[in-house]
Amino acid sequence: MAGVTFNHVSKDFGDQRVVTDLTIEVQDKEFLVFVGPSGCGKSTSLRMLAGLEEITEGEILIGDRVVNNVAPKDRDVAMVFQSYALYPHMTVYDNMAFGLKLRKTPKKIIDERVNEAANELGIGHLLDRRPRQLSGGQRQRVAVGRAIVREPAVFLMDEPLSNLDAKLRVEARSFISRLHQRLETTFIYVTHDQVEAMTMGTRICVLNEGKLQQIDSPFNLYHNPHNIFVAGFIGSPSMNFFDATLKEDGDGMVVDVGAFTLPVPASKADNFRSHVGMEVVCGIRPEDIDDTNYLPQGIVPANMVCNVEVVEQMGNEVIIYLENQGKNFIARTDPRTDATVGEPMDITFNLDNMHLFDTNTEMSLSYESKTKGANIIA
């Protein structure tokens, strides 16, 4: 078992830098998820760790060993790819055993490991079949089983669920999370799907354009995003953003969006006071905009009337596209709402969950207020 360290790691392809000064410490037995849009550098970071891409600058350590110049086969890692990369002419047993055979592992040990892993994964009855005879979910389990029998220090998974349908993806997420708990091994997982990231990772590393934006628990990423990118990327539908000005209002402050103003709760005033009179970006998540008739308990409310433009019935919730004097935004409301397209609707903002960001740096004002004088990841 081992932790992993990225120490100021950068990667260039020609004259293009695709990973910039990545510094992360992954704890032993942790489940870390790399997430971000296509081209953000997440798969490249994983491939550098696996030894499939050379490092341009910096060091990668597995445990206490620098592995920059160590061959992939000697890094004590096992990787599960998006394509599964199963040999079509081999049985499930032979696919799972192939890596052990290359290492000249005794046949008795191979049999023990393959059968144990196959039974654990629920594919023990499929060992004589070939990949073409398997469903997508079964192939995915074979690929994971091939990694398990290696008994590596670190499991690396590069979008292993992207080829599955929606139902299988949900089942596979749960399966991989349980597997991590049983094996008690370090898992590093790459995905572009923020739902996968939020439901599986003990910590999540958010990347954009090759740069680390924030590494944190799922709870903190959602409730305390450090910048506009993280706030907009985490959560579905995405956070609503409004260009605004922070103004004094008697003893308090208001966020002036133009079409409407939102009072700043007293609990947030100290974080925002230094930006009074300045332009800011106000962020409100759709789930913090409610039908006034069905409000959750304990919120800090701000009421207004909006025009309903689109209503999406989801069964357990309703997504409503709203407009107020030229400002468009999305609400995620109680399913009992009677919102009707073309009709006005009373809605309520939960100001306790309002976020403000610096227009220039795009950093959260709450985060900036806590890190004065510190080095902030931008």
Side-chain angles (χ1 to χ4, degrees):
M1 307 303 175
V4 171
T5 303
F6 288 81
N7 187 17
H8 298 287
V9 172
S10 296
K11 173 64 180 177
D12 297 340
F13 287 119
D15 59 358
Q16 182 179 6
R17 176 144 290 191
V18 295
V19 176
T20 302
D21 196 29
L22 182 62
T23 299
I24 298 172
E25 289 189 15
V26 186
Q27 302 301 315
D28 183 27
K29 302 181 183 180
E30 184 174 14
F31 196 131
L32 182 81
V33 178
F34 282 102
V35 69
S38 296
C40 71
K42 55 188 185 294
S43 290
T44 299
S45 299
L46 199 73
R47 290 174 64 83
M48 286 191 288
L49 173 56
L52 303 178
E53 296 286 356
E54 292 186 359
I55 300 167
T56 303
E57 295 175 6
E59 293 180 331
I60 293 179
L61 292 83
I62 299 176
D64 296 326
R65 180 175 65 148
V66 177
V67 296
N68 290 36
N69 299 314
V70 176
K73 66 182 180 64
D74 298 323
R75 294 194 179 197
D76 200 14
V77 301
M79 191 161 181
V80 180
F81 296 92
Q82 176 180 349
S83 64
Y84 309 145
L86 301 179
Y87 294 104
H89 63 288
M90 291 186 182
T91 63
V92 168
Y93 178 96
D94 289 332
N95 267 285
M96 292 176 65
F98 186 70
L100 296 178
K101 290 178 179 178
L102 288 180
R103 289 167 176 77
K104 303 188 184 303
T105 305
K107 187 177 187 307
K108 181 180 178 181
I109 294 177
I110 292 177
D111 283 341
E112 290 175 354
R113 290 191 187 178
V114 169
N115 282 288
E116 181 180 359
N119 290 330
E120 188 171 11
L121 298 172
I123 54 173
H125 62 294
L126 303 175
L127 290 175
D128 294 329
R129 296 190 187 180
R130 287 179 167 74
R132 67 176 180 274
Q133 298 172 293
L134 306 178
S135 68
Q138 290 169 338
R139 292 178 191 174
Q140 183 253 344
R141 292 189 179 215
V142 174
V144 172
R146 182 176 55 191
I148 289 175
V149 299
R150 293 264 311 277
E151 296 185 354
V154 182
F155 282 94
L156 309 179
M157 298 190 174
D158 189 5
E159 306 221 31
L161 309 186
S162 59
N163 292 331
L164 303 182
D165 61 38
K167 183 175 183 295
L168 276 177
R169 285 172 75 101
V170 173
E171 294 175 357
R173 287 203 311 260
S174 174
F175 155 69
I176 291 176
S177 295
R178 293 195 305 270
L179 185 66
H180 171 252
Q181 294 167 12
R182 290 203 300 272
L183 296 179
E184 295 186 333
T185 307
T186 305
F187 276 51
I188 301 179
Y189 187 102
V190 163
T191 181
H192 67 277
D193 185 334
Q194 52 113 351
V195 175
E196 280 183 26
M198 295 290 281
T199 55
M200 298 174 72
T202 50
R203 279 196 307 161
I204 300 171
C205 172
V206 182
L207 296 176
N208 186 39
E209 297 181 346
K211 297 179 181 179
L212 176 62
Q213 302 296 308
Q214 186 172 346
I215 180 168
D216 222 324
S217 67
F219 181 90
N220 281 334
L221 281 180
Y222 180 86
H223 292 282
N224 302 300
H226 288 178
N227 59 35
I228 289 177
F229 176 81
V230 175
F233 190 82
I234 299 297
S236 179
S238 296
M239 183 181 288
N240 299 292
F241 294 109
F242 306 98
D243 293 328
T245 304
L246 186 61
K247 296 181 177 180
E248 287 185 320
D249 182 43
D251 295 332
M253 290 177 284
V254 295
V255 178
D256 186 352
V257 176
F260 51 85
T261 60
L262 301 172
V264 174
S267 62
K268 295 181 177 290
D270 289 343
N271 292 335
F272 301 160
R273 197 170 301 282
S274 62
H275 279 67
V276 168
M278 299 173 63
E279 293 183 352
V280 295
V281 176
C282 176
I284 300 282
R285 292 197 182 279
E287 45 270 42
D288 290 316
I289 305 175
D290 296 285
D291 183 330
T292 304
N293 295 315
Y294 301 103
L295 293 181
Q297 296 295 315
I299 72 170
V300 179
N303 301 323
M304 69 180 68
V305 179
C306 296
N307 300 312
V308 177
E309 296 192 327
V310 176
V311 177
E312 296 179 346
Q313 293 283 350
M314 308 296 289
N316 64 322
E317 62 187 10
V318 178
I319 308 298
I320 307 173
Y321 292 75
L322 299 164
E323 183 272 337
N324 184 304
Q325 299 185 54
K327 300 293 183 180
N328 297 95
F329 49 97
I330 301 173
R332 187 178 181 180
T333 69
D334 189 289
R336 294 171 293 176
T337 183
D338 59 358
T340 303
V341 173
E343 296 293 329
M345 176 182 178
D346 293 321
I347 62 103
T348 300
F349 284 66
N350 179 8
L351 300 181
D352 197 43
N353 293 334
M354 176 174 63
H355 301 265
L356 292 186
F357 303 90
D358 186 295
T359 302
N360 297 316
T361 67
E362 298 192 349
M363 300 300 296
S364 164
L365 301 192
S366 297
Y367 181 59
E368 282 189 337
S369 71
K370 296 174 183 176
T371 54
K372 293 295 185 183
N375 292 321
I376 300 173
I377 296 169

Short mmCIF file of all heavy atoms in Angstrom, two decimals, residues 18 91 137 204 284 300:
data_model
loop_
_atom_site.label_atom_id
_atom_site.label_comp_id
_atom_site.label_asym_id
_atom_site.label_seq_id
_atom_site.Cartn_x
_atom_site.Cartn_y
_atom_site.Cartn_z
N VAL A 18 0.20 21.25 -21.07
CA VAL A 18 -1.12 20.69 -20.80
C VAL A 18 -1.35 20.41 -19.31
O VAL A 18 -2.50 20.26 -18.88
CB VAL A 18 -1.34 19.39 -21.61
CG1 VAL A 18 -1.37 19.70 -23.10
CG2 VAL A 18 -0.29 18.35 -21.30
N THR A 91 -10.05 -16.09 -23.01
CA THR A 91 -11.18 -16.21 -22.09
C THR A 91 -11.05 -15.16 -20.99
O THR A 91 -10.01 -14.51 -20.83
CB THR A 91 -11.20 -17.60 -21.44
OG1 THR A 91 -10.01 -17.77 -20.66
CG2 THR A 91 -11.30 -18.70 -22.49
N GLY A 137 -21.24 -4.22 -18.77
CA GLY A 137 -20.95 -4.23 -17.34
C GLY A 137 -20.04 -5.38 -16.95
O GLY A 137 -19.17 -5.24 -16.08
N ILE A 204 -11.65 15.28 -4.06
CA ILE A 204 -11.76 15.53 -5.50
C ILE A 204 -10.78 16.61 -5.90
O ILE A 204 -10.68 17.65 -5.24
CB ILE A 204 -13.19 15.95 -5.87
CG1 ILE A 204 -14.18 14.86 -5.48
CG2 ILE A 204 -13.30 16.25 -7.37
CD1 ILE A 204 -15.63 15.31 -5.61
N ILE A 284 -25.83 31.89 -7.14
CA ILE A 284 -26.90 31.22 -6.41
C ILE A 284 -27.18 29.88 -7.11
O ILE A 284 -27.46 29.85 -8.31
CB ILE A 284 -28.21 32.03 -6.39
CG1 ILE A 284 -28.01 33.39 -5.72
CG2 ILE A 284 -29.33 31.25 -5.71
CD1 ILE A 284 -27.99 33.34 -4.22
N VAL A 300 -32.61 31.85 4.88
CA VAL A 300 -32.62 33.32 4.93
C VAL A 300 -33.24 33.78 3.60
O VAL A 300 -32.59 33.73 2.56
CB VAL A 300 -31.20 33.89 5.10
CG1 VAL A 300 -31.24 35.41 5.11
CG2 VAL A 300 -30.57 33.35 6.37
#
